[in-house]
Amino acid sequence: PMKQYFWNLNEPGVSGWSARQVGTASGIRDMDPGVGVDIRPSLAVKDRAFDDSADFDKLNPSIDAFYKITPSLTAAVTINTDFSGTDVDDQQVNLSRFSLFLPEKRDFFLQDAGIFEFGGLRRNGRPFFSRTIGLSSAGQPLDIEFGGKLTGKVGDFNLGVLSVQQTSGVDPEDATNVTVARTRYHYGDDAY
């Protein structure tokens, strides 16, 4: 039989979770993590009534799959990626000379995204920002054919490897691959 336990907030006036709201859970045993596979298929249909350049009733299947190799190491694969279900960005007016920073909202890239962050950089000067994947240097959308990611913790190391194949969808010669890798070693209480 499945049991459910709820954590009561000791400060209901505080919105969201804060460090003051945490506690220690003990006595949890005999947990079955299951297979550790999460598969998200999708199907997009294009119709000329909405897009003159589309083939009539063109079906565009895609799939995202996540597999927990260990409880702290995840492998992810995306094929023929479709981000049409992703939330639309809030409209912003940029009156500065700097580019706007729009946060990542795509599930495949959000999974364990913190592993690729470092240096406390949140906007300017970031060596890697996943929102640029799927865009050409001119800002035009690119199709993501497939991608793979391995993220998590192995011993005292945090590991992150991401590789994505993208194309303009018009000319196969325009295909590019974006690959990024990062590792971090935990020594004592500090991470390097």
Side-chain angles (χ1 to χ4, degrees), residues 141-155:
L142 298 173
D143 293 333
I144 295 180
E145 294 178 0
F146 57 87
K149 185 164 68 167
L150 181 66
T151 53
K153 189 171 182 176
V154 179

Side-chain angles (χ1 to χ4, degrees), residues 60-187:
N60 198 13
S62 66
I63 190 166
D64 288 345
F66 301 87
Y67 174 60
K68 287 281 195 188
I69 297 169
T70 68
S72 60
L73 187 65
T74 304
V77 174
T78 184
I79 300 171
N80 200 23
T81 310
D82 177 29
F83 296 120
S84 61
T86 303
D87 290 339
V88 177
D89 293 317
D90 295 331
Q91 189 172 10
Q92 300 179 26
V93 177
N94 185 8
L95 301 176
S96 73
R97 61 184 176 164
F98 302 105
S99 299
L100 289 174
F101 177 80
L102 301 171
E104 182 63 76
K105 295 182 178 182
R106 301 173 292 181
D107 287 340
F108 177 76
F109 295 106
L110 282 175
Q111 174 79 26
D112 294 331
I115 290 176
F116 298 101
E117 302 282 334
F118 60 93
L121 301 172
R122 296 284 180 232
R123 291 184 177 220
N124 293 327
R126 295 175 82 173
F128 170 71
F129 183 47
S130 62
R131 278 297 292 257
T132 59
I133 298 175
L135 293 176
S136 70
S137 58
Q140 297 300 314
L142 298 173
D143 293 333
I144 295 180
E145 294 178 0
F146 57 87
K149 185 164 68 167
L150 181 66
T151 53
K153 189 171 182 176
V154 179
D156 288 334
F157 288 91
N158 278 3
L159 173 69
V161 179
L162 169 72
S163 185
V164 174
Q165 183 72 25
Q166 57 190 11
T167 183
S168 68
V170 177
D171 187 1
E173 300 279 327
D174 293 338
T176 58
N177 182 278
V178 177
T179 301
V180 63
R182 177 165 191 250
T183 185
R184 184 171 73 169
Y185 176 69
H186 292 271
Y187 179 75

